[in-house]
Amino acid sequence: MGLFSVIEQTAAKQALRQEMRRRRKAMPPEEKTAGEQQLCRRFLESSYYRNCRQLFCFVALPQEPETRGILRQALTDGKIVAVPRCLPERRMAFHQLNREVPLEQQLLSGSFGVAEPQETLPVITPQPELAPLCLVPGLAFDRKGGRLGYGAGYYDRFLAAYPFLLKIGCALTPFLTDCVPTEPTDQRLDGIATESSLEVWNG
């Protein structure tokens, strides 16, 4: 990719980030709540959720689709559930939650104001024999696996290390777009979960 193309890609990503942040602010709270409840229900009813034994899932920021309902249900269902903690050098570790302890007691305010797991919880990695699935946050997604993150590359680094991991974006439909600008280091997703459908193209 030439210098001019890199500059163009960076500008396109920044413009899309601004547009998606504007959409987040403009979305009525009741519309967001209704949409994320439907998203949660569709995901939990899917065969992809039922078949996975390991679930790697983000803890949502207020502007993201709420995931705590998914986390609690997965623990109740006996899944191995892990949530991320940011590390130096823009890396992440996923810590396994304890189904015997209330969720909020296992979370602390961490990097960038994100709720993160306590350091004392065990670190786990995806295991192929456990049909691992990762729900991935982002600002925008397309139906070709493109994802626009927040720019730090935490998820791209983590996902690149586990090519067998089923990677599903998590978003409400206003945050789907025709084409997300991507670079070689951007990891393509295998599917997208929204309030209206769960689509998987790979896996």
Side-chain angles (χ1 to χ4, degrees), residues 43-62:
F43 176 72
L44 293 173
E45 290 173 352
S46 73
S47 61
Y48 300 99
Y49 169 74
R50 290 196 303 271
N51 292 337
C52 83
R53 292 167 59 195
Q54 270 187 325
L55 178 65
F56 296 81
C57 182
F58 65 100
V59 183
L61 290 166

Side-chain angles (χ1 to χ4, degrees), residues 16-17 20-21 24 137-141 147-150 175-176:
L16 188 56
R17 283 193 180 99
M20 293 303 169
R21 288 190 171 111
R24 280 182 169 183
L139 280 163
F141 301 85
R147 166 185 171 268
L148 182 69
Y150 297 95
F175 304 97
L176 294 183

Side-chain angles (χ1 to χ4, degrees), residues 120-141:
T120 52
L121 293 169
V123 174
I124 65 170
T125 59
Q127 301 299 313
E129 67 273 15
L130 298 178
L133 185 157
C134 184
L135 273 183
V136 185
L139 280 163
F141 301 85

Side-chain angles (χ1 to χ4, degrees), residues 54-126:
Q54 270 187 325
L55 178 65
F56 296 81
C57 182
F58 65 100
V59 183
L61 290 166
Q63 65 269 26
E64 294 174 330
E66 183 54 73
T67 56
R68 285 168 176 79
I70 290 173
L71 293 169
R72 292 189 180 95
Q73 187 59 53
L75 289 168
T76 298
D77 291 341
K79 309 281 188 188
I80 298 168
V81 183
V83 296
R85 185 171 65 87
C86 292
L87 302 175
E89 300 177 0
R90 297 187 176 183
R91 295 176 297 113
M92 286 193 309
F94 275 80
H95 293 250
Q96 183 176 346
L97 297 175
N98 185 337
R99 66 176 57 93
E100 304 299 329
V101 179
L103 176 62
E104 296 303 330
Q105 292 183 19
Q106 303 182 67
L107 302 176
L108 302 170
S109 180
S111 306
F112 313 109
V114 179
E116 294 186 335
Q118 296 182 11
E119 273 189 76
T120 52
L121 293 169
V123 174
I124 65 170
T125 59

